[in-house]
C-alpha cells in the first residue's frame, strides 16, 4: 500500500520553493498600465506581477497593499522587456513576444492574446529579446536582442515586415526619434546606430567607445541604455543600490539608496489620467520594486 502524503507537505514545499524563488529573483522589466494606476513587473522566472499603485499609495495602505493583485506565468524564461499601449501589454522573453489585454489582466484573466516569433536565421536559434519599442505613427512594434537585428512587427496584421542588420553583437536598448521616423539602437558592439524607417537602412553610426572622453576600457564598450531627449535632470542606475540624479552639467546632485543591490530598470509614471500615482519605480536584483513619490527618498517597496 502506498503511503499517503500529508496535505501539509506540498504546501510546505511550495512555501520553501517560493521563498527560494524570491531570494534569487531578478526583476528585468516594468510597464505602467494605460490608466496609470497599475504597474506590471517581469522577473527572471518568467512571471509578471501586477501591483495596484493606487492601493499602495493610499493613506489606508497596509502591507498587503504592496503585494501583487495578480501574478501569472508569462514566459518559460525571463521577461526581459515590456511596453504598454492603450489596450495591450507586450512582454518579451527568449525568442518570443506576447500580447495581453490589460482589461483581462485586471480581471485576473491572464490568457495571452497572441505569441509571435521573429524570423530567425535557423530554427535552433532562440535569442533573448532585450528591448521593445512602440512606433505609434506606423502602428508597429520593434524587437531587438541577441540576434543583433531589429525586427519590425505590424501590430495590425501581426506580420514581421523588416529586419535591420548592422550590429555585430547583442542589442540592449532602443529609442525613438518621434519627430522623424527614426530609431536609435545600442548594444555590446559599442555602437549607437541610427535607422531611417522609411528607407529601412542605417543612416549613421556613433562608435562611442572611440571617443576618448567616453572610453571605458576597464568596463568594456557595450551600450546599455539610450534616450533622445532630456529634461534638466538625468536619472541613472546600475551596479549598486542607488538611483543617481545628475544635472546636465554632469554634476551629481544626489544618490538615493534603494533596497536592491543592483538596479536594472527605472520607470517614471507620467500618465496624466492618474496624477496621484506619479511615481518613479526602480527594480533589479531582488524581489522588490522601490517606489519613490519624490526623487529625494524611497517611500516604500512593492514585493513579489
Amino acid at each position: 500500500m502506498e503511503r499517503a502524503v500529508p496535505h501539509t507537505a506540498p504546501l510546505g514545499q511550495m512555501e520553501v520553493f517560493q521563498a527560494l524563488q524570491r531570494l534569487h529573483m531578478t526583476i528585468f522589466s516594468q510597464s505602467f498600465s494605460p490608466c496609470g494606476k497599475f504597474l506590471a513587473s517581469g522577473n527572471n522566472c518568467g512571471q509578471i506581477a501586477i501591483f495596484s499603485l493606487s492601493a499602495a499609495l493610499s493613506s489606508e495602505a497596509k502591507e498587503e497593499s504592496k503585494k501583487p493583485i495578480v501574478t501569472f506565468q508569462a514566459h518559460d524564461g525571463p521577461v526581459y522587456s515590456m511596453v504598454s499601449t492603450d489596450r495591450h501589454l507586450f512582454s518579451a522573453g527568449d525568442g518570443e513576444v506576447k500580447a495581453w489585454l490589460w482589461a483581462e489582466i485586471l480581471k485576473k484573466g491572464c490568457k495571452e492574446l497572441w505569441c509571435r516569433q521573429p524570423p530567425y536565421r535557423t530554427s535552433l536559434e532562440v535569442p533573448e529579446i532585450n528591448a521593445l519599442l512602440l512606433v505609434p505613427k506606423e502602428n508597429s512594434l520593434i524587437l531587438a536582442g541577441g540576434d543583433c537585428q531589429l525586427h519590425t512587427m505590424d501590430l495590425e496584421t501581426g506580420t514581421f515586415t523588416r529586419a535591420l542588420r548592422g550590429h555585430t553583437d547583442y542589442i540592449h536598448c532602443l529609442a525613438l526619434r518621434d519627430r522623424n521616423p527614426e530609431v536609435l539602437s545600442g548594444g555590446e558592439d559599442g555602437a549607437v546606430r541610427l535607422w531611417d524607417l522609411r528607407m529601412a537602412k542605417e543612416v549613421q553610426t556613433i562608435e562611442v567607445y572611440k571617443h576618448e572622453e567616453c572610453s571605458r576600457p576597464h568596463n568594456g564598450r557595450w551600450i546599455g541604455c539610450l534616450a533622445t531627449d532630456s529634461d534638466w535632470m538625468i536619472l541613472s542606475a546600475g551596479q549598486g543600490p542607488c538611483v543617481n540624479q545628475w544635472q546636465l552639467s554632469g554634476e551629481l546632485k544626489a544618490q538615493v539608496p534603494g533596497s536592491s543591490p543592483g538596479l536594472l530598470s527605472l520607470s517614471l509614471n507620467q500618465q496624466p489620467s492618474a496624477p496621484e500615482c506619479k511615481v518613479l519605480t526602480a527594480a533589479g536584483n531582488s524581489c522588490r520594486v522601490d517606489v519613490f513619490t519624490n526623487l529625494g527618498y524611497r517611500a516604500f517597496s512593492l514585493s513579489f
Side-chain angles (χ1 to χ4, degrees):
M1 181 181 293
E2 291 185 359
R3 183 180 177 184
V5 179
H7 291 294
T8 55
L11 181 60
Q13 291 171 6
M14 181 60 70
E15 288 174 345
V16 170
F17 172 77
Q18 290 174 343
L20 289 171
Q21 196 177 59
R22 286 193 295 271
L23 181 64
H24 298 286
M25 189 174 291
T26 296
I27 299 174
F28 285 106
S29 54
Q30 303 179 78
S31 184
F32 293 103
S33 65
C35 66
K37 296 182 179 180
F38 300 91
L39 172 69
S41 297
N43 68 16
N44 59 320
C45 303
Q47 299 168 327
I48 294 177
I50 308 297
F51 299 94
S52 171
L53 291 174
S54 53
L57 290 164
S58 168
S59 59
E60 300 177 356
K62 301 176 182 178
E63 281 306 305
E64 197 65 26
S65 307
K66 299 167 187 174
K67 294 181 179 179
I69 59 171
V70 61
T71 302
F72 59 96
Q73 193 70 34
H75 298 270
D76 292 334
V79 184
Y80 292 112
S81 183
M82 292 191 292
V83 292
S84 290
T85 66
D86 290 342
R87 297 181 60 227
H88 299 103
L89 172 67
F90 299 109
S91 63
D94 288 319
E96 64 183 16
V97 59
K98 293 184 178 183
W100 317 82
L101 282 171
W102 267 109
E104 295 301 316
I105 292 173
L106 298 178
K107 292 177 185 175
K108 302 184 180 180
C110 305
K111 185 178 180 181
E112 68 188 59
L113 191 62
W114 49 253
C115 178
R116 299 282 188 274
Q117 294 181 328
Y120 295 122
R121 286 181 285 254
T122 70
S123 59
L124 299 177
E125 190 176 21
V126 189
E128 61 193 51
I129 298 173
N130 296 317
L132 295 176
L133 179 71
L134 290 166
V135 185
K137 288 183 179 178
E138 62 174 36
N139 194 28
S140 66
L141 179 68
I142 297 180
L143 301 71
D147 72 336
C148 313
Q149 302 180 63
L150 283 74
H151 299 274
T152 301
M153 187 179 74
D154 185 310
L155 287 175
E156 186 172 343
T157 63
T159 57
F160 287 92
T161 58
R162 61 179 168 239
L164 302 175
R165 300 176 179 89
H167 281 281
T168 58
D169 212 333
Y170 274 44
I171 301 170
H172 281 287
C173 47
L174 298 168
L176 178 67
R177 294 189 70 190
D178 205 21
R179 295 179 183 176
N180 305 308
E182 294 175 338
V183 168
L184 290 152
S185 59
E188 294 189 18
D189 58 4
V192 174
R193 301 180 189 273
L194 178 65
W195 308 86
D196 188 311
L197 297 182
R198 292 168 299 188
M199 297 188 290
K201 71 175 187 178
E202 182 181 344
V203 293
Q204 189 174 352
T205 303
I206 305 170
E207 293 179 302
V208 180
Y209 64 94
K210 291 186 177 180
H211 296 263
E212 185 177 352
E213 60 271 26
C214 299
S215 178
R216 307 163 302 166
H218 56 291
N219 289 327
R221 61 175 63 173
W222 68 286
I223 305 294
C225 60
L226 284 172
T228 54
D229 280 306
S230 297
D231 204 339
W232 63 277
M233 184 180 291
I234 299 170
L235 300 173
S236 69
Q239 186 175 3
C242 292
V243 175
N244 305 302
Q245 300 176 24
W246 304 85
Q247 293 187 333
L248 292 183
S249 63
E251 178 187 352
L252 180 61
K253 183 179 179 182
Q255 286 187 303
V256 185
S259 63
S260 298
L263 295 172
L264 299 170
S265 173
L266 292 177
S267 293
L268 186 61
N269 189 11
Q270 294 181 303
Q271 291 288 356
S273 58
E276 73 281 6
C277 295
K278 186 176 181 179
V279 295
L280 171 73
T281 56
N285 299 122
S286 81
C287 62
R288 294 177 294 276
V289 180
D290 293 332
V291 178
F292 301 81
T293 51
N294 67 50
L295 299 181
Y297 69 98
R298 176 176 62 92
F300 58 87
S301 297
L302 307 168
S303 182
F304 259 85

